[in-house]
Amino acid sequence: MADATASLRRKLWNPEARLAYVLIAPTAIFLVAFMFYPILYVFVMSFFRTNKLSDLVRFVGLANFIDRFHDQEFWWAALRSLIWTGSGVAVKFLVGMTIAVLLNVNYRGRKAARMAFIIPWASSVPISALLWQWVYHPEFGLLNHTLKISGLWTNPPGWLGAGFSAFVACMWVDIWVGIPFFALVFLAGMQAIPHELYESAHMDGAGGIRSFFSITLAGLRELILISTLLSAIWTFNDFNVIFILTRAGPANSTNILITSVYMNAFVDLRFDWAAVQSVITFLILTVVSVVYARFYFRQENI
Amino acid sequence: MKKSVMFRLGMALLIIVALVGCAPKEKPKVTFFWALYDGLTEDFRASVEAAFNKESKDAQVQIVPVKWDDMQTKLTTAVAGGTPPDISVVGTRWILDFMSTNSVDEVTQYLSKATVDNINPAAMEAKVKGKLMGIPIAAGARILAINNDIAKDVPKTMEELEADAIKVNKPPKVYGLIMPGKSHTELTDFCYYFYAAGGNYFETKSDGSYGKCTVNSDAGVKALTFMQKLALKDKVVQAGFTSMIRMDSHPVFYAGKVGYVMIGAWVDSAMKQAGAKFPVTYANIPSFAGEKPAGLIITDSIAFFTKAKNLKAAGKFVDFFYQDAYKGKFDQLVGFPPVTLSAAKDPFWNSPLFQALNAAALTARPWPLVDNFDTLSNETWKACEKVFQGQASPKDALDAAAAAVDKARGM
């Protein structure tokens, strides 16, 4: 027993380990101060009534959670979050894959095409959203101007002014920003697949579609898993696009869980409700990540 | 080797300590959240900051520009985080909420008597129970601006305004009237119609305090029904109005495409900045037939934040800024009639615009100075949005808004 303790001590407290602790310490302190403490504080806040300055006023147990679960707008926001994330990731995946396939083919100007597809991803999301806000402007925007002068639509609507069109318009911007990520990841993955596999398949009589499903998609399986997970988390948490374009309106029609957190905290000044929704969002994303991670590592072990 | 390293480290430490000790003591720096009113320029902000920093021997100021629509959020975050600015422009209607959390101080303890005595007493809306909790920075009634290239008639009633707007409305080239239909910080757009219908936001108790919310009164329903009619039945408002806040929609007027707009004193300078050249007539915002004239007057104030560090220096800065050379210029850029008695003597304020503003101020009413004003504003906006989206009738939407306001105020 004494030997085991001494051995453990030697492992954990030798000169090399001490140096490691010193080197890790700044990062660890940073993480505790700026990540773990705020997360813990939000959990604590969700069980308290807060005032307009977010001070904890009194312990209310689960009352804030019950309050939120009884609010219809919470469930609408949750449903919109699911539609927003599911549709957004699906479209980004499909278009990203198509672009990657096109960029993987040898043709003149391929490099220029690759550069062009990276641009939306290279610019910051808020700047892209601001640009699109102007594109969608009903009076001075590029979209309506083009529709008018081309004669396609003499009196086009305000895209961000009605519930459904605002939701679709926001989703389009999120998709536009997110497609290059999938395209680039898939392109990198495709280039790592040995060309000989395609040649062999061709010699065995496999057509393009069969090769795509049996070689390309199979070769990209792990990349697809991880990139879809990342994109789902980013899309679920995409606050910038909606906030800049619609501020979750009109009449909450573009309000998803993450914007709802902001609206509760900084518009209604209900920091306790915002904390509850942050906790719920955190738990949803944690569960999704854990399930995905388990699936991913099980695949790897095979 | 080890000794040498230790010696070098020791020497380095000594040098650092010596340098820190010898460094000149920094002057206290006043942080001022400066609202980006329409008409204000970055050059002017920088010139005020530079002038004070050059003249002041014992304090410096950092003037932080903040978009008006972001001001309340930025301020709340800063105060909640324990790092409020020393002073900030605030909507006077926010002050009771800041007082409820002991976040703001009485301003007279930091300002010179000369500055306070130079303020027009009528503008001191932030006087709460005899204490001045904010020094007014801007006060102005709202008016009706008419693009005379499109419309000539000056409506006497809301009903006439509707008829005139219908007459000039030829979308998509020309619209009758500007109406922001997207929720934003200010509640003004509903209020124009609400006050015109004789509405009051709250019952007034016998002791003068506010009782239950009455935004859902007959006047409220009449106002919102009228707005709904203008926008959805008459279709005289600018295209895509439900996606536009004030900042998005007023430029359509400046572009010469709209007959009428209810607007504030900045209209003249904002039009000049937008290069607008059409002739404009200014008039009172009309009331509904049979109602007394009642426009809206809004004041903003500068508040001193209790937990800030340099409040005395902040007082000196405000004394400096409220000299005519700076505050007078500020008023002219923003277009609000001056709140200082001395600046009001400038002949600049004899223009037709300011005559209209002064006339409107005679019958205008301010916001109710009430706790939870932000809830009143947000819930009323939600009601308007629901009606514009066809999700609720004006009566149902305003009933829900009144109930939410009463709940927030514990009634």
Side-chain angles (χ1 to χ4, degrees):
Chain A
M1 181 66 187
D3 281 354
T5 312
S7 163
L8 187 66
R9 196 171 168 181
R10 272 199 301 277
K11 272 186 190 167
L12 297 177
W13 197 249
N14 57 48
E16 206 172 328
R18 283 198 291 271
L19 178 65
Y21 297 145
V22 170
L23 295 175
I24 290 169
T27 310
I29 291 167
F30 186 87
L31 281 175
V32 168
F34 295 105
M35 276 191 69
F36 296 134
Y37 172 72
I39 290 172
L40 186 68
Y41 190 78
V42 166
F43 271 83
V44 171
M45 188 185 270
S46 67
F47 296 104
F48 281 80
R49 179 78 168 92
T50 55
N51 66 11
K52 294 196 170 202
L53 295 179
S54 78
D55 301 324
L56 307 182
V57 176
R58 65 172 193 280
F59 181 76
V60 293
L62 291 171
N64 288 330
F65 285 85
I66 294 165
D67 214 358
R68 288 297 73 208
F69 292 149
H70 280 103
D71 182 7
Q72 277 196 340
E73 180 46 35
F74 168 77
W75 294 107
W76 278 112
L79 179 66
R80 282 187 214 106
S81 284
L82 281 178
I83 298 169
W84 170 264
T85 309
S87 325
V89 173
V91 176
K92 280 184 256 188
F93 174 85
L94 289 173
V95 180
M97 181 65 80
T98 310
I99 290 171
V101 169
L102 293 175
L103 291 178
N104 199 34
V105 179
N106 257 328
Y107 57 92
R108 279 183 70 151
R110 185 170 73 155
K111 282 185 182 170
R114 283 181 183 178
M115 287 295 291
F117 279 108
I118 292 171
I119 288 170
W121 203 49
S123 62
S124 80
V125 177
I127 289 174
S128 299
L130 281 169
L131 275 174
W132 277 98
Q133 189 183 33
W134 272 104
V135 171
Y136 287 138
H137 193 286
E139 200 58 44
F140 309 120
L142 185 66
L143 179 58
N144 280 6
H145 183 69
T146 309
L147 290 170
K148 279 180 201 171
I149 61 164
S150 62
L152 289 171
W153 203 332
T154 48
N155 201 3
W159 299 99
L160 302 176
F164 180 70
S165 65
F167 191 78
V168 173
C170 288
M171 191 184 276
W172 164 247
V173 177
D174 174 72
I175 289 168
W176 183 82
V177 171
I179 285 171
F181 166 72
F182 274 108
L184 285 175
V185 168
F186 293 156
L187 180 62
M190 285 174 194
Q191 293 190 332
I193 297 172
H195 197 66
E196 292 76 17
L197 289 178
Y198 291 101
E199 286 173 356
S200 305
H202 183 66
M203 287 170 71
D204 290 343
I209 293 174
R210 179 69 192 270
S211 295
F212 175 74
F213 280 102
S214 301
I215 300 174
T216 310
L217 275 191
L220 293 178
R221 193 178 55 199
E222 287 172 8
L223 273 179
I224 289 171
L225 280 171
I226 199 72
S227 58
T228 312
L229 169 66
L230 286 174
S231 180
I233 292 171
W234 292 338
T235 308
F236 194 90
N237 277 330
D238 189 358
F239 169 80
N240 292 311
V241 168
I242 291 179
F243 185 72
I244 290 170
L245 289 179
T246 62
R247 293 210 171 204
N252 287 333
S253 55
T254 55
N255 197 20
I256 61 172
L257 280 176
I258 200 72
T259 49
S260 182
V261 170
Y262 179 90
M263 302 308 276
N264 274 316
F266 296 110
V267 176
D268 298 331
L269 301 177
R270 288 302 305 258
F271 291 93
D272 41 8
W273 290 355
V276 167
Q277 295 195 184
S278 300
V279 167
I280 292 167
T281 306
F282 179 82
L283 292 177
I284 291 171
L285 290 179
T286 306
V287 168
V288 171
S289 304
V290 167
V291 169
Y292 236 96
R294 283 176 68 92
F295 185 67
Y296 175 70
F297 288 119
R298 201 168 59 200
Q299 297 276 322
E300 272 209 324
N301 288 339
I302 292 169
Chain B
M1 180 67 185
K2 263 190 177 176
K3 274 185 183 173
S4 164
V5 171
M6 291 304 287
F7 176 75
R8 283 177 192 173
L9 274 174
M11 286 302 290
L13 204 64
L14 271 176
I15 291 167
I16 290 167
V17 169
L19 284 175
V20 171
C22 295
K25 199 179 167 190
E26 275 204 8
K27 295 175 186 173
K29 187 173 251 181
V30 174
T31 307
F32 177 24
F33 283 2
W34 165 274
L36 283 174
Y37 290 105
D38 292 345
L40 271 189
T41 60
E42 167 57 20
D43 286 350
F44 179 67
R45 184 204 66 79
S47 72
V48 173
E49 186 178 271
F52 179 77
N53 289 343
K54 189 176 171 192
E55 189 176 302
S56 170
K57 288 177 183 146
D58 48 9
Q60 297 282 284
V61 68
Q62 182 186 15
I63 302 178
V64 181
V66 182
K67 276 166 66 178
W68 185 247
D69 251 22
D70 298 334
M71 180 62 92
Q72 200 172 8
T73 302
K74 188 172 171 72
L75 209 45
T76 307
T77 315
V79 173
T83 53
D86 295 280
I87 47 177
S88 173
V89 174
V90 297
T92 306
R93 54 250 171 231
W94 308 342
I95 279 182
L96 279 190
D97 281 334
F98 282 124
M99 285 177 72
S100 72
T101 49
N102 297 320
S103 302
V104 289
D105 272 358
E106 189 177 356
V107 298
T108 41
Q109 57 188 310
Y110 303 115
L111 299 175
S112 71
K113 189 171 179 306
T115 300
V116 177
D117 287 348
N118 192 29
I119 301 292
N120 183 345
M124 290 196 184
E125 195 193 335
K127 201 171 240 182
V128 182
K129 293 178 183 168
K131 292 180 177 178
L132 188 63
M133 304 306 293
I135 180 168
I137 185 168
R142 294 299 166 90
I143 50 171
L144 183 72
I146 305 163
N147 178 343
N148 291 143
D149 278 352
I150 296 172
K152 304 281 185 226
D153 299 330
V154 178
K156 298 281 186 299
T157 61
M158 276 292 174
E159 290 81 358
E160 281 184 27
L161 174 63
E162 182 188 17
D164 293 340
I166 291 171
K167 198 160 71 181
V168 301
N169 190 50
K170 291 178 184 68
K173 287 192 172 171
V174 172
Y175 303 100
L177 176 72
I178 287 287
M179 185 190 289
K182 178 179 169 186
S183 125
H184 60 109
T185 308
E186 297 295 354
L187 182 53
T188 47
D189 308 285
F190 169 77
C191 189
Y192 298 142
Y193 299 93
F194 185 48
Y195 279 5
N200 288 301
Y201 281 103
F202 295 96
E203 293 170 349
T204 307
K205 293 181 181 172
S206 52
D207 62 356
S209 63
Y210 288 120
K212 285 196 160 191
C213 180
T214 52
V215 73
N216 57 338
S217 61
D218 289 347
V221 176
K222 182 177 181 179
L224 191 48
T225 307
F226 186 74
M227 292 170 78
Q228 183 189 33
K229 186 164 177 259
L230 287 172
L232 305 180
K233 192 178 170 204
D234 300 338
K235 297 189 175 163
V236 292
V237 305
Q238 79 282 5
F241 80 105
T242 46
S243 64
M244 291 182 172
I245 61 171
R246 187 183 86 191
M247 310 297 185
D248 306 317
S249 53
H250 285 180
V252 187
F253 179 80
Y254 307 149
K257 297 192 68 173
V258 186
Y260 299 88
V261 63
M262 294 175 219
I263 199 165
W266 65 85
V267 57
D268 189 47
S269 54
M271 278 176 57
K272 278 179 189 152
Q273 286 179 12
K277 292 204 167 63
F278 53 85
V280 181
T281 302
Y282 301 108
N284 277 8
I285 293 174
S287 288
F288 284 94
E291 296 292 343
K292 287 179 188 168
L296 171 68
I297 187 165
I298 295 179
T299 66
D300 297 331
S301 303
I302 294 179
F304 286 65
F305 285 83
T306 311
K307 286 184 184 163
K309 290 177 184 160
N310 302 308
L311 292 171
K312 282 191 177 169
K316 286 183 182 170
F317 167 73
V318 175
D319 285 338
F320 173 85
F321 176 54
Y322 271 63
Q323 298 173 86
D324 289 347
Y326 303 106
K327 186 64 175 69
K329 171 82 173 162
F330 171 94
D331 293 333
Q332 290 183 14
L333 282 172
V334 176
F336 284 116
V339 292
T340 54
L341 298 169
S342 54
K345 292 172 186 159
D346 192 308
F348 176 86
W349 304 108
N350 296 331
S351 71
L353 169 63
F354 294 103
Q355 286 170 10
L357 286 164
N358 290 335
L362 293 174
T363 53
R365 288 193 283 147
W367 298 117
L369 197 55
V370 67
D371 59 308
N372 287 284
F373 183 86
D374 52 320
T375 309
L376 173 67
S377 179
N378 296 334
E379 294 299 331
T380 309
W381 259 119
K382 280 181 197 169
C384 293
E385 284 197 331
K386 279 183 194 166
V387 169
F388 295 149
Q389 293 297 322
Q391 294 175 2
S393 69
K395 173 75 178 141
D396 290 347
L398 289 171
D399 280 348
V405 173
D406 287 341
K407 188 181 174 191
R409 296 182 67 231
M411 296 211 161

